[in-house]
Amino acid sequence: MSSPDPQVRAARNRSTGAAARGPVVAVTGAAHGVGALLTERLAASDEIKQVVAIDERRGECDDATWHILDVRDPAIAEKLRGADVVVHLALDLDLGSDDAARTAYNVRGTQTVLTAAAAAGVHRVVLCTSAMVYGALPDNELPLSEDAELRATAEATGVGDLLEIERLARRAPRAHPGLNVTVVRPATLVGGTDTALTRYFESPRLLVVAGSRPAWQFCHVDDLCGALEYAVLEKVEGELAVGCDGWLEQEEVEELSGIRRMELPSAVALGAAARLHRIGLTPSPAGDLAYTMYPWVVSGSRLHAAGWRPRWSNEEVLAELLEEVAGRHTVAGRRLGRKDATAAGAAGATVALLGAAAVVRRARKARRRV
């Protein structure tokens, strides 16, 4: 695509226009995922003066000013000079990433962006983590307030990184006086995403742990971008949770999806998940299973008080998710190729999981006999 005519760009930013009075916003991770969607949204907004896009490759938004670099590079401070707000979305939460490399990128990248933003005179940084930081626990309130204690542990994919980012966010205003940090925590994110939670719906049977109390709340990426825009425009600040209104019980999810459940005792399900991950057969640690067992629904009260409302319902987001994952086949978090899925089928997939569980039970019995 060719760049817009400079005169057109200049006309758009004349001092008489609304955009000239708006902020200059830098977005990291701007070439892909949520970052790309937000960059396009902000670039089209009359309330934004200019968008500075930062990533390791150039994206498709021609109305943004692009800088190609790694967010861990201290040179990013110069690229942020003149920005009023930075939205940091350059995170690696890929299930296939090496754990140590992922943590090094996520934590070091966030540290560098916060320090660089302060050095460049930026007054606000918006970070995006996840409502997973509240933890999925049987005694969680329904819904959780934004001020609820962060009780998650580092046992689920990427959650340890997100908790460290939360700690950095809370320390940053003390380390850098004058820097305001807003944290946005979406519920189960849907819309071009691939996570342990979206893969749950690629399974031939929905694994339900006996005695658990799941409560499903989703967040469409469009609604997340809307919430991030509210934060950019300073319509709301602090620690924000975002998701669809309300939640779906497990029985409702099964009825809407048409996927039947497979119920297992807690010890069997968690033991099998831990073993499959330990021997490298699945990308998801056993900690991911807790988020399908217990509620971690959020209220989103601060965004609601500011006038923001989700455009998507849980039912609508679930329908889109099911459409996205149609034709994919996952067992215990491991995505199967078409040939494997055809050979295994739903029954074979169930047997595979139960077989892993049987291995765990036999190992336990052997240890008790010793």
Side-chain angles (χ1 to χ4, degrees), residues 286-354:
D288 286 344
L289 198 56
Y291 291 89
T292 71
M293 294 171 60
Y294 303 117
W296 48 292
V297 172
V298 291
S299 68
S301 57
R302 288 189 179 133
L303 279 163
H304 281 68
W308 178 91
R309 292 293 183 275
R311 294 187 176 183
W312 292 73
S313 68
N314 282 303
E315 291 85 352
E316 290 169 336
V317 180
L318 176 59
E320 172 149 321
L321 172 56
L322 293 170
E323 186 175 332
E324 281 190 7
V325 303
R328 299 177 188 166
H329 304 276
T330 292
V331 177
R334 178 175 178 264
R335 187 171 287 159
L336 304 178
R338 186 177 299 273
K339 184 182 295 185
D340 294 333
T342 301
T350 302
V351 169
L353 182 58
L354 292 173

Side-chain angles (χ1 to χ4, degrees), residues 207-210 212 262-277 284-287 289-290 292-293 332 353-354 356-358 360-361 364:
L207 175 62
V208 176
V209 176
S212 65
M262 179 179 67
E263 190 163 321
L264 291 176
S266 175
V268 172
L270 291 169
R275 178 169 177 80
L276 289 170
H277 182 65
S284 300
L289 198 56
T292 71
M293 294 171 60
L353 182 58
L354 292 173
V360 174
R361 287 198 300 271
R364 281 184 178 158

Side-chain angles (χ1 to χ4, degrees), residues 1-5 9 58 62-63:
M1 294 183 181
S2 59
S3 298
D5 188 298
R9 188 185 297 277
R58 196 184 192 284
D62 287 332
D63 288 330

Side-chain angles (χ1 to χ4, degrees), residues 136-210:
L137 298 158
D139 61 344
N140 274 347
E141 293 184 359
L142 276 170
L144 293 161
S145 73
E146 279 93 345
D147 293 328
E149 182 184 354
L150 306 188
R151 298 197 290 163
T153 64
E155 295 172 354
T157 304
V159 173
D161 297 357
L162 300 180
L163 288 169
E164 183 56 33
I165 290 170
E166 293 272 353
R167 285 189 281 270
L168 291 171
R170 291 182 176 182
R171 288 200 297 263
R174 296 194 299 272
H176 308 290
L179 182 65
N180 182 300
V181 180
T182 296
V183 180
V184 180
R185 301 166 181 156
T188 302
L189 197 59
V190 174
T193 57
D194 177 26
T195 67
L197 294 168
T198 59
R199 287 194 183 189
Y200 178 80
F201 294 93
E202 299 177 15
S203 300
R205 297 285 186 269
L206 298 180
L207 175 62
V208 176
V209 176

Side-chain angles (χ1 to χ4, degrees), residues 4-343:
D5 188 298
Q7 291 182 338
V8 173
R9 188 185 297 277
R12 182 182 298 158
N13 292 332
R14 283 178 187 148
S15 60
T16 54
R21 296 191 297 273
V24 175
V25 184
V27 180
T28 69
H32 60 280
V34 176
L37 294 174
L38 182 66
T39 298
E40 291 282 359
R41 183 183 183 117
L42 295 179
S45 172
D46 290 336
E47 297 182 85
I48 302 299
K49 182 176 182 180
Q50 181 188 4
V51 179
V52 177
I54 298 172
D55 210 318
E56 293 177 58
R57 63 177 177 84
R58 196 184 192 284
E60 296 181 0
C61 182
D62 287 332
D63 288 330
T65 301
W66 285 90
H67 296 296
I68 313 303
L69 80 165
D70 189 312
V71 291
R72 295 169 293 182
D73 187 339
I76 195 173
E78 188 57 37
K79 310 303 180 186
L80 296 181
R81 202 165 299 281
D84 301 295
V85 184
V86 175
V87 185
H88 178 47
L89 298 173
L91 294 178
D92 177 11
L93 297 175
D94 194 306
L95 288 172
S97 295
D98 174 77
D99 290 347
R102 178 174 57 216
T103 296
Y105 179 82
N106 290 337
V107 176
R108 181 59 180 165
T110 303
Q111 287 174 325
T112 303
V113 167
L114 287 168
T115 302
V122 174
H123 76 269
R124 178 182 296 270
V125 174
V126 180
L127 303 177
C128 185
T129 61
S130 168
M132 294 176 78
V133 296
Y134 291 109
L137 298 158
D139 61 344
N140 274 347
E141 293 184 359
L142 276 170
L144 293 161
S145 73
E146 279 93 345
D147 293 328
E149 182 184 354
L150 306 188
R151 298 197 290 163
T153 64
E155 295 172 354
T157 304
V159 173
D161 297 357
L162 300 180
L163 288 169
E164 183 56 33
I165 290 170
E166 293 272 353
R167 285 189 281 270
L168 291 171
R170 291 182 176 182
R171 288 200 297 263
R174 296 194 299 272
H176 308 290
L179 182 65
N180 182 300
V181 180
T182 296
V183 180
V184 180
R185 301 166 181 156
T188 302
L189 197 59
V190 174
T193 57
D194 177 26
T195 67
L197 294 168
T198 59
R199 287 194 183 189
Y200 178 80
F201 294 93
E202 299 177 15
S203 300
R205 297 285 186 269
L206 298 180
L207 175 62
V208 176
V209 176
S212 65
R213 183 172 62 106
W216 289 92
Q217 181 187 39
F218 300 100
C219 178
H220 195 278
V221 290
D222 290 344
D223 281 337
L224 173 58
C225 286
L228 291 168
E229 185 176 18
Y230 257 62
V232 164
L233 295 173
E234 301 186 24
K235 296 179 180 180
V236 64
E237 61 182 20
E239 297 170 344
L240 314 173
V242 55
C244 300
D245 290 336
W247 63 90
L248 298 173
E249 302 288 351
Q250 182 70 24
E251 291 75 14
E252 294 177 284
V253 166
E254 291 168 20
E255 181 178 354
L256 290 167
S257 68
I259 308 174
R260 294 164 57 191
R261 69 167 59 193
M262 179 179 67
E263 190 163 321
L264 291 176
S266 175
V268 172
L270 291 169
R275 178 169 177 80
L276 289 170
H277 182 65
R278 188 164 57 248
I279 62 179
L281 288 180
T282 66
S284 300
D288 286 344
L289 198 56
Y291 291 89
T292 71
M293 294 171 60
Y294 303 117
W296 48 292
V297 172
V298 291
S299 68
S301 57
R302 288 189 179 133
L303 279 163
H304 281 68
W308 178 91
R309 292 293 183 275
R311 294 187 176 183
W312 292 73
S313 68
N314 282 303
E315 291 85 352
E316 290 169 336
V317 180
L318 176 59
E320 172 149 321
L321 172 56
L322 293 170
E323 186 175 332
E324 281 190 7
V325 303
R328 299 177 188 166
H329 304 276
T330 292
V331 177
R334 178 175 178 264
R335 187 171 287 159
L336 304 178
R338 186 177 299 273
K339 184 182 295 185
D340 294 333
T342 301

